[in-house]
Amino acid sequence: MIALAGTDADTHTAATALAFGDGILGALGQNMAALGLAGRAFVITDERVGERYGDATMAALERAGYRPALRAIAGGETAKSLAGAAKLYSWLADERAERRDTIVALGGGVIGDLAGFVAATYLRGIALVQVPTNVLAQVDSAIGGKTAINLPHGKNLVGAFHPARLTLIDVAFLDSLPLRELRSGWAEVLKTAILFDPPLFELLETAQPHGLERRQLLDVITRCVQWKVKIVKEDPTEKGPRMLLNLGHTIGHAIEAACRYETYLHGEAVAIGLTGATEISRRRGLVDQALAGRIEASLRLDGLPVRFDRTKATPEQVLAAAASDKKAQGARLRWILIRGLGDPEIVTDVPPELVLDVLEWLSEPAA
Ligand code: GLY
């Protein structure tokens, strides 16, 4: 277990311990006990993950002396709602959950965000343990303390920063991941490499996630987590450098929304968004065609989409979705561009005409 303590003075970065490994779910309870988590453990998961890993999780907790309870909910983005949170509050209240108890989020991004939000708010906050079961959650959403639910007006509009006491990252979970989901999560891995780690990007240019040994997967995921932890420590509440993690997400989120979350998985939309952000960077003279080509080729190699289907959403609809998402958040449309590998910048002055041109280009059938 690696302890990565945050700045003591800031409650948003209360120490999160990280445990990485291959086949370490069985040590979940021991890791929790070692951190002094003494109450009951309430596992929140989705039906698919619960069926596969619920028993092993409960056994791991019981072996360490916990009296665990488990709730499996229907998965999917719609679970991340006020109604979804209310059902979990009722369950915890029925079970007489107390302040000293812990919520264990066992699943992908939806479960981590929802269970995390419930942990942040039930009894004004109880301990949270994240056990992310897909790549996307392991390298991104389970790291850094963001929790959230959606409103009809937009995604993640209600939430809290509530860092987990422990995040347990076990690559053995990835064995049962559908290939499409594995690839989708890999978009966040490539994003991290483009943002901060040119040698990692070079390594990934010739590697596909499903072709890697578990040991190599673990190395790549660990490296991405270390980058994320570094950024979150610098900027826990996203006032500065943490915004860089949104590379590819301005267009990605807008494509997801314009397609009503039906067409692309999150990472797939991010892959299209990475291609779009690189193209905006190229058209502003920040990067050359050679680098833009390498980034697109690496996404294609991993089976990720690099253009969006304009029969599902037009460029105008995507632009409108980007603008309305920001409006809902009361924020300005912000772009993360790149000047090279490992050299990102945050800008707010990208003209809508340029964005629309790039969205036109991005919606053409890929050559
Ligand atoms: N997913 C971006 C962040 O955690 O800041």
Side-chain angles (χ1 to χ4, degrees):
M1 186 158 68
I2 309 174
L4 286 165
T7 318
D8 293 339
D10 189 331
T11 52
H12 295 306
T13 53
T16 295
L18 292 171
F20 295 96
D22 180 357
I24 58 165
L25 177 61
L28 172 65
Q30 285 156 258
N31 276 304
M32 286 171 52
L35 292 167
L37 297 170
R40 293 183 69 194
F42 291 92
V43 180
I44 297 175
T45 189
D46 68 41
E47 283 158 1
R48 187 186 72 83
V49 173
E51 196 171 309
R52 190 151 193 128
Y53 300 110
D55 287 349
T57 304
M58 296 293 273
L61 292 166
E62 279 161 5
R63 266 201 309 281
Y66 289 95
R67 199 160 49 86
L70 180 145
R71 180 74 163 220
I73 61 168
E77 198 64 35
T78 49
K80 249 177 76 176
S81 61
L82 276 169
K87 282 185 201 154
L88 293 169
Y89 294 140
S90 297
W91 174 56
L92 292 170
D94 288 344
E95 292 278 347
R96 307 243 185 284
E98 295 175 15
R99 267 247 172 89
R100 64 195 211 107
D101 296 338
T102 299
I103 287 183
V104 178
L106 173 72
V110 165
I111 289 295
D113 280 5
L114 173 65
F117 179 71
V118 168
T121 46
Y122 187 75
L123 296 179
R124 299 193 184 88
I126 65 175
L128 171 67
V129 168
Q130 291 272 13
V131 185
T133 57
N134 64 23
V135 177
L136 193 123
Q138 291 185 345
V139 300
D140 190 36
S141 60
I143 310 291
K146 280 187 183 175
T147 72
I149 55 172
N150 304 329
L151 294 182
H153 311 68
K155 269 181 84 167
N156 298 335
L157 290 185
V158 177
F161 288 98
H162 189 64
R165 295 287 307 279
L166 165 70
T167 299
L168 181 136
I169 294 175
D170 186 347
V171 281
F173 286 124
L174 307 185
D175 272 3
S176 60
L177 214 55
L179 181 57
R180 187 174 171 205
E181 214 182 310
L182 180 69
R183 286 172 156 165
S184 169
W186 212 246
E188 298 283 1
V189 170
L190 284 169
K191 175 201 81 176
T192 306
I194 294 166
L195 279 171
F196 308 119
D197 198 336
L200 179 62
F201 181 80
E202 278 156 29
L203 205 81
L204 297 176
E205 273 186 292
T206 53
Q208 294 171 299
H210 52 284
L212 296 179
E213 304 283 325
R214 275 208 205 154
R215 178 74 246 163
Q216 296 169 305
L217 270 176
L218 186 58
D219 286 348
V220 171
I221 287 168
T222 304
R223 204 144 138 179
C224 290
V225 170
Q226 284 167 340
W227 279 115
K228 178 141 188 193
V229 167
K230 180 174 179 297
I231 289 292
V232 170
K233 273 197 203 172
E234 276 173 41
D235 178 21
T237 53
E238 199 174 300
K239 300 215 166 47
R242 186 166 180 171
M243 291 177 198
L244 296 172
L245 298 173
N246 290 324
L247 177 67
H249 285 63
T250 307
I251 290 178
H253 280 154
I255 288 175
E256 283 184 282
C259 297
R260 290 173 297 281
Y261 302 96
E262 285 166 2
T263 310
Y264 300 105
L265 299 179
H266 175 69
E268 293 171 339
V270 168
I272 302 168
L274 288 171
T275 315
T278 305
E279 182 61 12
I280 294 175
S281 306
R282 193 191 70 77
R283 292 189 190 196
R284 283 174 67 118
L286 298 173
V287 296
D288 60 16
Q289 181 57 50
L291 180 58
R294 281 173 68 194
I295 290 174
E296 184 173 323
S298 66
L299 294 162
R300 281 178 191 274
L301 178 73
D302 295 334
L304 287 161
V306 291
R307 300 289 186 275
F308 68 92
D309 180 348
R310 62 184 301 147
T311 66
K312 306 286 185 202
T314 64
E316 289 77 11
Q317 286 168 331
V318 174
L319 184 59
S324 91
D325 186 38
K326 283 297 143 200
K327 212 169 132 208
Q329 293 175 34
R332 292 176 69 185
L333 197 53
R334 193 180 292 121
W335 294 90
I336 314 304
L337 301 182
I338 52 167
R339 291 175 292 226
L341 291 173
D343 190 9
E345 66 172 0
I346 302 167
V347 301
T348 51
D349 66 343
V350 179
E353 304 76 40
L354 172 57
V355 178
L356 198 56
D357 277 355
V358 168
L359 289 172
E360 282 288 346
W361 171 87
L362 205 57
S363 67
E364 283 167 8

